[in-house]
Amino acid sequence: MKPIKKAILPVAGLGTRMLPAAKTTPKEMLPVVDRPLIHYVLAEARAAGIEHFVLVTGRGKGAMEDYFDHAVELEATLQAKGKDEMLNSLLADLPKEGEISYVRQMAPLGLGHAVWCARHIIGDEPFAVLLPDVLTTGPTACMAQAVAAYHTLGGNILVVEPVPDHMTHNYGVIAPQSRDGRVIKMSGMVEKPPQGTAPSNLAVLGRYILQPEIFDILAERERGAGGEIQLTDAMAKLMQSQSFHALDYEGESFDCGDRLGWLRANVAFALNNPDLAPAFRAIVTELMDGSPD
Ligand code: G1P
């Protein structure tokens, strides 16, 4: 079984649900507490043993390349002022040279197309995909749980979580066949099923382990939901010849692609931060006491 060493992070999306902030700041650079979304997701991939990160980017997304590089003036200033702790923490978070590659998705044709754009860098090996809109917490990193499941099961793995029935139309949803603990054998999946038609309430979370044969299917450029080249449709096709399992992972997810999800993540992460939690809790309590509801 080939190990999972590379991850694709699709970051070309426009972020229309986070306008106007996402007009000039890539949505992946919006902060949760004190670091951008993409920082958390890269760290999650690293915690799963990923060594090479492929960011599929687009116009206006250059801030991410600068973020993952030295900021020479800033580092020199911090050093001159003796702010060693801050400097060392910035340096420790930097990827090593050559660990990140960037490819441009030259047209907004969908998630499947974004993944396909990274095919030459991935080559002929299984790989991970992490959608940076979604942050996860748990006893171990979500992607690491998926990699552990892959080591037992092989094939393709999708992380899922239960969502309320009225929310399923926002996600890729799996059709479960049988369940063993947290591992679910799948019989199908559908992208954004219309209300009342979802095959289950298990939504695809945005963490995948895929075999490279998916690229041949994506190359056919078939359009699906919303007129886009959907990763879910390509996976449903690959399922005819390869094994697919879903992992109902242990932890909690935060969809930061819209305002409420992003606000929820900020509150949850701040309340979980030992430096901030006591003062932040007091602020929230004060605001809640003064609010009409
Ligand atoms: C994408 C995927 C969908 C998945 C979701 C998770 O949709 O196409 O299958 O459930 O991410 O966040 P998007 O949110 O980009 O519309």
Side-chain angles (χ1 to χ4, degrees):
M1 191 185 293
K2 288 189 187 169
I4 310 296
K5 293 292 172 200
K6 296 178 185 170
I8 300 175
L9 287 76
V11 295
L14 293 177
T16 45
R17 289 181 294 161
M18 291 301 272
L19 285 172
K23 185 176 168 189
T24 50
T25 302
K27 62 174 173 163
E28 300 80 9
M29 287 300 292
L30 295 175
V32 166
V33 182
D34 59 359
R35 57 205 63 204
L37 293 173
I38 190 73
H39 181 122
Y40 292 98
V41 178
L42 202 108
E44 182 189 327
R46 192 184 289 287
I50 303 294
E51 294 172 355
H52 193 144
F53 312 92
V54 187
L55 271 62
V56 181
T57 120
R59 282 173 63 79
K61 298 284 185 164
M64 270 177 280
E65 295 192 36
D66 289 340
Y67 185 76
F68 290 120
D69 195 0
H70 286 286
V72 178
E73 277 179 19
L74 172 65
E75 289 167 13
T77 306
L78 291 177
Q79 188 158 30
K81 294 196 165 171
K83 301 200 169 184
D84 294 343
E85 201 179 317
M86 209 176 273
L87 176 61
N88 291 337
S89 143
L90 280 183
L91 294 178
D93 283 336
L94 275 185
K96 309 282 169 288
E97 282 111 329
E99 277 186 344
I100 301 196
S101 303
Y102 301 90
V103 290
R104 290 277 276 230
Q105 182 184 17
M106 294 162 71
L109 298 180
L111 177 59
H113 178 254
V115 167
W116 178 75
C117 287
R119 67 201 178 282
H120 291 301
I121 302 178
I122 299 297
D124 188 25
E125 55 184 275
F127 58 96
V129 178
L130 298 96
L131 305 188
D133 282 358
V134 179
L135 299 189
T136 62
T137 56
T140 55
C142 175
M143 197 70 228
Q145 293 181 39
V147 168
Y150 168 77
H151 285 146
T152 314
L153 301 161
N156 301 268
I157 310 277
L158 310 186
V159 178
V160 295
E161 71 176 351
V163 298
D165 288 341
H166 69 274
M167 298 285 283
T168 48
H169 67 284
N170 294 320
Y171 297 94
V173 178
I174 67 152
Q177 196 177 70
S178 56
R179 182 167 182 141
D180 179 9
R182 292 191 170 275
V183 173
I184 298 150
K185 195 161 171 38
M186 295 167 54
S187 60
M189 75 187 98
V190 52
E191 181 66 19
K192 304 201 170 70
Q195 293 273 14
T197 68
S200 74
N201 72 336
L202 292 169
V204 175
L205 183 75
R207 301 292 186 268
Y208 312 78
I209 291 174
L210 296 171
Q211 297 295 325
E213 288 75 19
I214 195 85
F215 292 127
D216 299 333
I217 298 172
L218 290 169
E220 294 163 14
R221 300 172 79 94
E222 257 178 48
R223 305 292 179 121
E228 296 188 346
I229 302 171
Q230 294 288 357
L231 184 60
T232 300
D233 297 343
M235 292 190 294
K237 247 189 185 173
L238 187 58
M239 204 182 292
Q240 292 165 12
S241 55
Q242 291 193 4
S243 97
F244 271 78
H245 289 91
L247 177 71
D248 184 1
Y249 89 113
E250 194 181 353
E252 197 180 350
S253 78
F254 298 85
D255 182 357
C256 299
D258 71 25
R259 293 177 299 176
L260 276 178
W262 178 79
L263 288 167
R264 178 171 169 267
N266 271 286
V267 173
F269 279 58
L271 289 175
N272 208 27
N273 180 315
D275 291 340
L276 297 175
F280 183 64
R281 191 176 294 277
I283 291 170
V284 173
T285 308
E286 181 206 324
L287 291 174
M288 296 295 291
D289 285 348
S291 77
D293 304 309

